[in-house]
Amino acid sequence: QVQLVESGGGLVQAGDSLTLSCTASAREFDRFTMGWFRQAPGQEREFVAAISWSGGMPNYADSVRGRFTISRDDAKNTVYLQMNNLKSEDTAVYYCAADFLGSAVITTGYDYWGQGTQVTVSS
């Protein structure tokens, strides 16, 4: 049983930057692939980024590649999402997710989810 807690969301203007954090209670955090997803009201949840437990290259959705950076600090049981040059279409609730021994390439089948943190981009 893993608990995930996101933080760092807020209201920003287009072009601004924001960094989200997700801290996990997992006792084997370094064996979880970690992902970020987002969902706007009335829309389907979509994949944003993932970073593997095994040290492979991160995976990004086309819509955020080049603007967002996912990273992890296993000593702190934390995954981050650095978001640069934010756009109004980035507005959504952002969710942290964990996939035990998962692959960053496979964007479905995550086992655990956080409560979400709201990111609102005005323009």
Side-chain angles (χ1 to χ4, degrees):
Q1 188 172 349
V2 175
Q3 303 241 2
L4 305 174
V5 180
E6 304 98 331
S7 63
L11 174 63
V12 298
Q13 291 186 321
D16 285 353
S17 297
L18 199 63
T19 299
L20 307 181
S21 299
C22 171
T23 299
S25 65
R27 59 186 179 274
E28 296 178 290
F29 181 78
D30 61 352
R31 293 293 180 269
F32 284 87
T33 285
M34 302 299 298
W36 287 97
F37 296 76
R38 66 188 183 186
Q39 186 171 23
Q43 303 297 314
E44 296 290 329
R45 182 190 66 195
E46 65 175 341
F47 169 78
V48 176
I51 184 167
S52 174
W53 69 273
S54 60
M57 287 294 184
N59 187 28
Y60 297 97
D62 290 343
S63 59
V64 307
R65 186 176 292 109
R67 298 189 298 121
F68 291 11
T69 302
I70 188 171
S71 62
R72 65 190 297 161
D73 186 342
D74 289 348
K76 297 181 178 179
N77 276 29
T78 300
V79 63
Y80 305 93
L81 185 67
Q82 181 181 329
M83 304 182 292
N84 296 327
N85 191 25
L86 283 161
K87 306 174 180 180
S88 60
E89 51 263 45
D90 295 318
T91 296
V93 176
Y94 283 70
Y95 296 93
C96 175
D99 184 5
F100 186 64
L101 299 181
S103 170
V105 177
I106 302 173
T107 60
T108 59
Y110 278 75
D111 303 306
Y112 304 99
W113 296 84
Q115 83 288 349
T117 185
Q118 177 72 48
V119 174
T120 302
V121 184
S122 63
S123 63

